[in-house]
Amino acid sequence: MKTVLKTAFALTGALALAACGSSDDASEEAVADTVEIPADEAMEGVTAEPVVDENVAPAPAPVVEEDEASDPEPTAADVASAETAGEAAAAAAADVAAIAAGAAAATEDAANDGADAMEDAVDAGEDAVNEATE
């Protein structure tokens, strides 16, 4: 039932899209004759000229790039602040690396413990089979 509904829905969508075009030939591309002429015909009776809307905010002034020569040199406070931020970032990266290393070690330990437990279970199973067959 779901397949029938999906197919019906897809077919309905395809037919709706096909009904939108006015071309008899599906391979015909949109060209000036099929796009611009109907638009020109729709605008034939319009004689009004566009007007400026006074309620709209004026366009922002264009951004002017400053020359590198006009950039001021960083102050000692700027340099110190940047160095402090860099040191804090390096410390945070070291902390993350230490946490990741600890997590990797814990994961490896857990995997080894699981492998050891599996090995013990296999050994116990083999012992039980050996005892039963003796």
Side-chain angles (χ1 to χ4, degrees):
M1 184 68 176
K2 288 182 182 179
T3 306
V4 173
L5 288 176
K6 288 179 186 177
T7 305
F9 183 69
L11 184 59
T12 304
L15 290 174
L17 286 175
C20 291
S22 64
S23 175
D24 293 334
D25 184 9
S27 64
E28 183 179 319
E29 294 185 22
V31 292
D33 292 343
T34 60
V35 177
E36 292 175 4
I37 292 176
D40 290 339
E41 289 172 356
M43 296 298 293
E44 280 179 0
V46 178
T47 58
E49 292 295 320
V51 294
V52 176
D53 188 357
E54 300 297 330
N55 295 327
V56 176
V63 176
V64 178
E65 298 287 331
E66 294 182 18
D67 293 338
E68 290 182 20
S70 66
D71 289 340
E73 289 295 319
T75 63
D78 292 339
V79 171
S81 175
E83 287 176 355
T84 302
E87 291 168 358
D95 290 344
V96 169
I99 291 169
T107 302
E108 185 177 348
D109 290 344
N112 288 337
D113 291 345
D116 290 343
M118 183 76 74
E119 211 173 279
D120 292 343
V122 169
D123 289 343
E126 288 176 351
D127 291 343
V129 168
N130 288 338
E131 287 177 13
T133 57
E134 291 178 358

